[in-house]
Amino acid sequence: MCGIVGYVGKRPCRDLLIAGLEKLEYRGYDSAGISLLQNGHIDSVRAVGNLANLRAAVGIEGEGGNGGVAVAAPPATIGLAHTRWATHGRVTEENAHPHGDCEDRIQIVLNGIVENHAELRRELEAEGHSFTSETDAEIVAHLIERHDEGDLTDAVRAAFAELRGHYAFAAMHSDHPDTLVAARQECPLVVGIGDGETFLASAIPAFLAQTRRALLVENGEIVTIDAAGAALTDGEGTPVNRESEEVTWDEDAAEKGGFPTYMLKEIYEQPDAIAETITDRLPATDRVDLSELELPPDFVAGMRRIVIVACGTSYHAGLVGRYAIEQWARVPVEMDIASEYRYRDPVVGPDDLVIGITQSGETADTLAAMRLARERGATVMALTNIMGSQATRDADTVLFTRAGLEVCVAATKTFTAQAAAMYLLGLWLAQSRGTLPPERIAELIAELKGIPSKTAETLEAVDEGVRRVARSQDEARFFLYLGRNIGLPVCLEGALKMKEISYIPSDAYAAGEMKHGPIALLDESTPVVCVATESPILDKVLSNVAEVRARGAAVIAVATEGSERVAEVADQTLYVPPTDWVLQPILAILPLQLLAYHVARFRGLNVDQPRNLAKTVTVE
Ligand code: F6R
């Protein structure tokens, strides 16, 4: 979840750009950089770590003293700046943005992922372009160079047409000292229109202190800005007319991207978090690429079993992964709560892959469980969101989610990003071990690629209905969640969210277990949340729903659109779009996250910081 800021106008812009980056710090980052254009020449400075390091590198700390680009040169009035959350390539100064072309006449900053970076890089290298970083982003500077015939907007449009993926980028050219050009495909991009000055950013807070007029750039559009304003065009060069809007947020709302809480903001960031996690690991319609894991093929082919250790929400993501891996790759998967595993003298050895799932990469029980397994000869993988975290150092191999910084204590976007990563792993194992035919893998890849847009669609469509359910249940004293098979981890996670942020006792059960005791809990006052999405065992779930109804409990069902049978037996039904049944959890959890959220908000609770809980955050 990187940050972009750009400026063109009359004011010296170095400090404006860094102030803009400061407003995007909440997104998380591990390095930063700035490019300033003056006298036909671009100076760029990059620094690993926080913005204090960038400030020191540009000489702000030593103003009038020792060096820094902005001290040495007259004040620039056009520039680009960026905070990077590493995806491609390590956290190094070379990999920090901005990135240049061969002649350093062009500089670009990019958020997101360029899916076809490897093939473009090969082509460009064959044409003689030389690269200085490991990033996918640098491709874009060289592509613009390839198409540069004197008009920066045309060159950006031609480069844009060659890219696949999920990104937004902005470019600056030393021959065009009055212009910035940017383009958007899925990742946010917005223009701030000031008085004789114009800003570009990945989020409004970056320029809100300077102007409240914002022009939103939509997918597939290119925007050219100068001091007088902005011109939008589409991929063919046809002008797009859109009025700018007045932003009415106060500072607090701005920090949360206009959402009332971080939790809601992060719930709505899930399409991006999932897309960033999967996009470039699905480089073709029929292939998963997890070569980054560098697991020896012999080990992958001969692995005896997988053991997943994790805590809380990460444990639930592991449960989702278990179904996918067993279903697709036919490797037995054992799940364990890390705080139990570490104390039970587990039987584990060299033929086992042990996966520690930990968003923060710093949860002590998960780290201890991973270390124990490694001592006993297992190959240990960390699935984490945080580069440089302890888990990445304790593991043999690392699979990163790319969800960006999660500020709210309750995990939401990290759960769906973890589930997405587990799906990638399941498919990759199936591909490597030959347990699924290639055409089935291709079908599942197509479904997985469709998940980010279905996530956005679900959030949009379901919120109103969830609010109604939450309003009708905000006095409830107990929630029961019931599901089977792939629906069970969704219930466990939904119940965890409910208790964590609304403080309402909630329990989740395998629906088939109801008759063995818990059914005694049910009466007219108990809302029962059932995950009843399409699957081979939907009939079984529906007969459990009937048992619940017979006790007078109110049934709130999560169902697949078009599945009328569920609505016939439920009191309230929340729909999610159809997808392959193994992938359903990623969509089915969305109404349950929102349900916990709205119930807690109706009760006036602080959802971002629930009582007695703190988040492990390791980003500087
Ligand atoms: C729940 C939640 C926790 C974490 C758990 C593990 O909303 O956030 O249950 O999932 O503390 O944390 P990580 O994944 O950082 O190891």
Side-chain angles (χ1 to χ4, degrees):
M1 296 273 154
C2 313
I4 291 176
V5 191
Y7 174 87
V8 50
K10 297 183 183 64
R11 288 195 275 169
C13 66
R14 178 194 68 181
D15 294 0
L16 279 174
L17 290 169
I18 294 181
L21 290 184
E22 275 165 5
K23 293 290 177 194
L24 301 180
E25 277 189 288
Y26 67 90
R27 297 166 68 85
Y29 65 103
D30 46 50
S31 49
I34 184 168
S35 288
L36 300 168
L37 197 172
Q38 61 249 309
N39 299 338
H41 176 77
I42 300 177
D43 276 318
S44 297
V45 176
R46 304 172 191 90
V48 168
N50 59 24
L51 288 181
N53 297 354
L54 182 65
R55 286 177 162 277
V58 298
I60 291 180
E61 259 76 342
E63 199 86 48
N66 50 3
V69 54
V71 178
T77 57
I78 177 167
L80 287 173
H82 189 261
T83 43
R84 173 176 189 245
W85 176 287
T87 53
H88 280 82
R90 292 156 299 151
V91 181
T92 62
E93 210 173 296
E94 293 71 35
N95 288 339
H97 303 207
H99 289 292
D101 64 329
C102 297
E103 309 291 333
D104 266 341
R105 290 160 67 230
I106 298 165
Q107 291 289 323
I108 68 97
V109 290
L110 178 137
N111 285 0
I113 306 268
V114 176
E115 211 179 319
N116 54 338
H117 67 98
E119 63 194 73
L120 288 172
R121 191 178 184 118
R122 273 194 302 277
E123 274 178 27
L124 288 159
E125 278 173 344
E127 287 169 22
H129 291 260
S130 58
F131 288 78
T132 56
S133 78
E134 301 161 326
T135 63
D136 54 341
E138 192 185 345
I139 308 290
V140 177
H142 292 275
L143 275 181
I144 296 172
E145 182 180 28
R146 175 197 257 180
H147 294 291
D148 182 16
E149 289 176 2
D151 183 315
L152 183 56
T153 306
D154 285 349
V156 165
R157 181 174 298 106
F160 189 43
E162 293 192 70
L163 299 170
R164 280 202 319 269
H166 178 97
Y167 52 79
F169 68 86
M172 180 164 81
H173 193 306
S174 55
D175 292 352
H176 305 278
D178 306 317
T179 311
L180 295 175
V181 183
R184 170 191 170 162
Q185 189 60 42
E186 308 291 348
C187 284
L189 189 65
V190 57
V191 175
I193 313 273
D195 185 10
E197 58 185 5
T198 309
F199 296 79
L200 254 183
S202 50
I204 289 171
F207 57 71
L208 199 58
Q210 310 301 329
T211 175
R212 287 187 162 266
R213 285 224 76 77
L215 175 69
L216 302 181
V217 182
E218 299 292 350
N219 279 341
E221 290 176 355
I222 292 145
V223 64
T224 305
I225 69 164
D226 58 22
L232 288 169
T233 47
D234 67 11
E236 271 70 54
T238 312
V240 175
N241 291 318
R242 185 173 308 119
E243 290 298 309
S244 59
E245 298 163 32
E246 183 78 10
V247 181
T248 53
W249 307 340
D250 60 19
E251 198 154 308
D252 183 51
E255 201 116 297
K256 294 171 185 143
F259 289 95
T261 61
Y262 281 109
M263 183 169 175
L264 198 59
K265 170 176 164 289
E266 287 159 7
I267 286 175
Y268 277 86
E269 281 173 354
Q270 290 181 106
D272 272 355
I274 300 166
E276 294 219 4
T277 299
I278 63 172
T279 304
D280 68 319
R281 285 146 169 175
L282 300 174
T285 52
D286 58 354
R287 194 166 59 84
V288 184
D289 182 1
L290 287 185
S291 51
E292 65 196 82
L293 297 178
E294 294 181 356
L295 285 173
D298 287 354
F299 172 74
V300 174
M303 125 190 358
R304 189 168 62 101
R305 98 191 139 145
I306 291 174
V307 178
I308 299 176
V309 289
C311 303
T313 291
S314 295
Y315 176 79
H316 300 151
L319 286 172
V320 172
R322 174 169 73 178
Y323 283 96
I325 293 170
E326 291 198 335
Q327 188 75 25
W328 299 335
R330 307 309 292 163
V331 186
V333 180
E334 265 176 40
M335 287 296 308
D336 221 325
I337 290 171
S339 54
E340 291 295 317
Y341 186 81
R342 63 182 292 199
Y343 295 117
R344 72 175 175 81
D345 193 11
V347 181
V348 63
D351 297 333
D352 295 325
L353 175 66
V354 174
I355 306 175
I357 307 183
T358 166
Q359 181 285 129
S360 61
E362 302 289 345
T363 297
D365 285 321
T366 308
L367 294 175
M370 289 165 62
R371 275 188 215 121
L372 177 64
R374 203 162 177 215
E375 278 159 25
R376 296 190 176 183
T379 298
V380 173
M381 176 194 297
L383 172 55
T384 184
N385 198 38
I386 307 287
M387 288 235 171
S389 60
Q390 190 59 42
T392 64
R393 294 194 283 267
D394 289 351
D396 296 295
T397 182
V398 183
L399 179 57
F400 285 102
T401 49
R402 295 167 181 159
L405 186 65
E406 196 173 55
V407 176
C408 174
V409 170
T412 52
K413 62 176 177 169
T414 55
F415 172 74
T416 43
Q418 287 167 338
M422 291 306 285
Y423 289 136
L424 286 174
L425 185 63
L427 281 176
W428 179 75
L429 287 171
Q431 170 186 284
S432 311
R433 294 164 63 94
T435 48
L436 281 183
E439 44 299 356
R440 179 71 184 129
I441 293 187
E443 266 170 35
L444 288 164
I445 286 176
E447 281 300 320
L448 191 51
K449 283 189 167 174
I451 290 289
S453 58
K454 287 184 181 175
T455 303
E457 197 186 303
T458 307
L459 291 170
E460 191 68 32
V462 89
D463 190 65
E464 200 43 53
V466 175
R467 274 173 198 267
R468 272 198 301 276
V469 174
R471 179 56 92 195
S472 67
Q473 300 295 348
D474 67 340
E475 299 293 316
R477 297 216 307 273
F478 174 63
F479 274 89
L480 185 66
Y481 290 69
L482 293 181
R484 277 174 176 258
N485 194 275
I486 202 83
L488 182 56
V490 179
C491 290
L492 289 162
E493 177 58 11
L496 174 62
K497 288 290 95 88
M498 185 62 85
K499 48 192 138 180
E500 184 180 16
I501 61 167
S502 74
Y503 317 149
I504 300 176
S506 307
D507 210 347
Y509 254 91
E513 276 289 286
M514 282 299 289
K515 55 184 169 294
H516 301 292
I519 203 157
L521 285 169
L522 297 183
D523 61 21
E524 297 77 23
S525 69
T526 318
V528 178
V529 179
C530 289
V531 173
T533 46
E534 279 299 331
S535 83
I537 44 99
L538 178 58
D539 286 338
K540 298 254 174 234
V541 177
L542 293 180
S543 57
N544 298 129
V545 172
E547 283 166 17
V548 168
R549 282 294 290 280
R551 270 78 193 168
V555 174
I556 301 153
V558 177
T560 307
E561 275 162 20
S563 176
E564 304 307 331
R565 289 189 299 158
V566 181
E568 281 163 20
V569 294
D571 296 276
Q572 289 158 304
T573 309
L574 300 165
Y575 288 103
V576 295
T579 184
D580 186 274
W581 68 275
V582 179
L583 302 177
Q584 275 291 354
I586 235 172
L587 301 176
I589 191 59
L590 306 171
L592 302 193
Q593 292 171 339
L594 286 168
L595 180 63
Y597 176 83
H598 288 307
V599 168
R601 293 282 286 173
F602 285 141
R603 293 179 156 219
L605 298 170
N606 177 353
V607 295
D608 285 337
Q609 179 55 70
R611 68 187 177 206
N612 306 330
L613 288 167
K615 195 169 194 91
T616 315
V617 177
T618 52
V619 174
E620 280 174 17

